[in-house]
Every structure is written in C-alpha cells, then in structure tokens.
Amino acid sequence: MSVRDEFDAWAADGRDKGMEERHWHTAKHVLARMPVEDGDTVLDLGTGSGYALRALADTTGMSRGYGLDGAPEMARNAREYTLDAEPDADLGFVVGDFGHLPFATDSLDHAFTMEAFYYSHDPHQTLEEVARVLKPGGTFYCAVNYYEENLHSHAWQDNISVDMTRWDADEYRAAFREAGLHVAEQDNVADREVDIPPADEFPTDSWETREAMVERYRELGTLLTVGVAP
Ligand SMILES: C[S@@+](CC[C@H](N)C(=O)[O-])C[C@H]1O[C@@H](n2cnc3c(N)ncnc32)[C@H](O)[C@@H]1O
C-alpha cells in the first residue's frame, strides 16, 4: 500500500488526532528546543494533523510554516484544524513526498519531523533534500520513536503496509553527516506523561512487565537528532 492509501485511511478514521495526542508528550519538548526566531519559516515533514506548526506559531514569532504530507486527507484535516485555530503565523499544508521537497534551495530557516522520517522511500535522499532547502545555519530537528535501540518498537512494521527504515543512533548521525549536515546534538527525550500502572497490574494487554514499559517511555522515549546546515 502507498503512503497515500495507508495514511489517508488514518486521517479518515481520526487516527491523526490520536497520533497527535500520543506524540505531543515528547514532541512538545523537541519543539521548545528549536531556535525559531521572529520572521522565520519552518517546514514540518509528515505533518499529520499539523499540530507542530500550530504550536510553534503559538509560542514563537515565526511568520510562515509549511506542513508537507504524502496523504492528501492528512493535509486536508490539518488545514481545517488550522483554520479553526486562527494561528498568528501564515501556515500552509502541501501534499508532497519526502524525496523531492517543493522548496527552493537555501529557502527555509528550520525543519522538524516527528514519527515520519523513517517512512521515507530513501532516507538518505530526504536528508540531502533537507540540507538543500535549509539556509546556512538552518536546523533540522528529527524525532523518531521507531529506532534500533528501542526494541519495543521493532514489531510496529508488522502492522503497517509502508516500509519503515530502522536506524540506530549512530546511523542517524552518520547519515546526517553524509548528507552534509553537522550533527549539533542527539538525545533521548523521555515520555513522562504516559500513564504507567503499578507493578501488580502487569501483564497488561500491551506489556508483559512494568520494567519494559518504563524502559520504553521513561528511558528510551523519542530519539532526537539535530542537524545544522553549513
Ligand atoms: C505517523 S504519522 C506522524 C504525523 C505527525 N508528525 C505526528 O507527530 O503525529 C506519519 C506522517 O508522515 C506522512 N508520510 C509518510 N511517508 C511520507 C512520505 N514519503 N512523504 C510525505 N509524507 C509522508 C504520513 O502521511 C503521515 O501523515
């Protein structure tokens, strides 16, 4: 199944909002670290419901944001939610693919992506595209929950028809550098909000042990890699 078919179905049955709720626990900490200044332009790759741009518009002086998504229904929902929110910045949602970013070279100040990068058909090409569209000194905040060290995420591929790339932290750093980005930092951002029941309630439907759930959320959390365009 294509990205379009898979994620249009998610948008149609409300899973875009479900993702937003789950991802917000760590995405908000990543967004708060982005050095967005007044007048900046920000790209959100795989924008889903578009919450990241609306949050940045609320908390920074950014003037323009583009949410790119391969699923037209996701982009349509994001547009609707954004109209309702009446953000201070000019936010637009475009349908496109991570392989060919529809932006001019050296045109964007920052890029963000949450739980989307690893769906790219060619993640190396996507990084080259990000490096191309960022202005010198522009940053790329790349956040993923599906990665090699997070053993608890490995089975996710079985439930989704789009191929997913599972890199470890070293591979992320190496790929960023190969694409010409400097690696400014890499970090695990813990999810401190997901409810973890007391030990005597395990096993649950999803978790054999409390230790495994603690490791997944409180220790591994979201892997963040930050690249800077030279
Ligand atoms: C798991 S969702 C995450 C959405 C949002 N960033 C969030 O945190 O909730 C991944 C999104 O990336 C989009 N996507 C996946 N592969 C893509 C590709 N190759 N090009 C453009 N968008 C893609 C999907 O349509 C989907 O909306």
Side-chain angles (χ1 to χ4, degrees):
M1 207 189 267
S2 65
V3 163
R4 178 187 185 130
D5 291 341
E6 176 79 44
F7 288 102
D8 269 353
W10 289 38
D13 66 18
R15 271 180 284 172
D16 55 340
K17 279 293 189 181
M19 287 190 294
E20 172 179 336
E21 260 173 54
R22 286 195 307 280
H23 298 163
W24 179 245
H25 296 182
T26 54
K28 66 179 169 190
H29 299 298
V30 174
L31 292 165
R33 291 189 194 187
M34 290 182 70
V36 178
E37 295 181 0
D38 290 358
D40 279 355
T41 300
V42 182
L43 168 66
D44 179 16
L45 286 174
T47 195
S49 73
Y51 69 87
L53 290 179
R54 289 191 294 277
L56 285 175
D58 276 353
T59 54
T60 72
M62 69 180 277
S63 63
R64 185 173 290 250
Y66 298 105
L68 181 131
D69 206 287
E73 291 303 312
M74 283 286 185
R76 199 168 65 87
N77 283 1
R79 258 178 234 122
E80 258 183 47
Y81 306 144
T82 302
L83 272 178
D84 292 344
E86 299 181 5
D88 288 335
D90 181 10
L91 305 184
F93 295 92
V94 288
V95 178
D97 190 84
F98 296 164
H100 300 282
L101 301 181
F103 303 99
T105 300
D106 292 353
S107 62
L108 305 173
D109 296 290
H110 305 284
F112 166 85
T113 185
M114 175 72 193
E115 277 296 85
F117 174 79
Y118 50 72
Y119 292 115
S120 174
H121 309 297
D122 182 345
H124 294 284
Q125 185 187 354
T126 298
L127 286 173
E128 282 168 21
E129 277 290 273
V130 170
R132 178 184 69 76
V133 299
L134 284 176
K135 294 176 187 171
T139 67
F140 179 39
Y141 280 66
C142 177
V144 294
N145 293 343
Y146 179 74
Y147 56 98
E148 187 61 27
E149 289 87 345
N150 182 4
L151 300 181
H152 312 289
S153 70
H154 289 193
W156 297 354
Q157 175 69 86
D158 301 341
N159 301 319
I160 191 153
S161 62
V162 179
D163 285 342
M164 298 157 78
T165 295
R166 199 174 67 223
W167 283 343
D168 63 23
D170 288 351
E171 287 175 298
Y172 268 94
R173 293 198 307 278
F176 271 48
R177 289 182 180 127
E178 217 175 287
L181 296 167
H182 298 298
V183 176
E185 67 169 320
Q186 190 173 55
D187 198 7
N188 287 81
V189 181
D191 180 337
R192 306 220 165 274
E193 286 174 42
V194 78
D195 186 41
I196 300 184
D200 60 3
E201 287 182 25
F202 287 83
T204 66
D205 287 347
S206 314
W207 296 96
E208 276 296 306
T209 64
R210 189 171 194 277
E211 288 72 23
M213 197 174 174
V214 166
E215 182 183 63
R216 156 71 185 93
Y217 290 105
R218 303 288 198 259
E219 292 163 21
L220 292 165
T222 292
L223 177 68
L224 169 67
T225 309
V226 180
V228 179

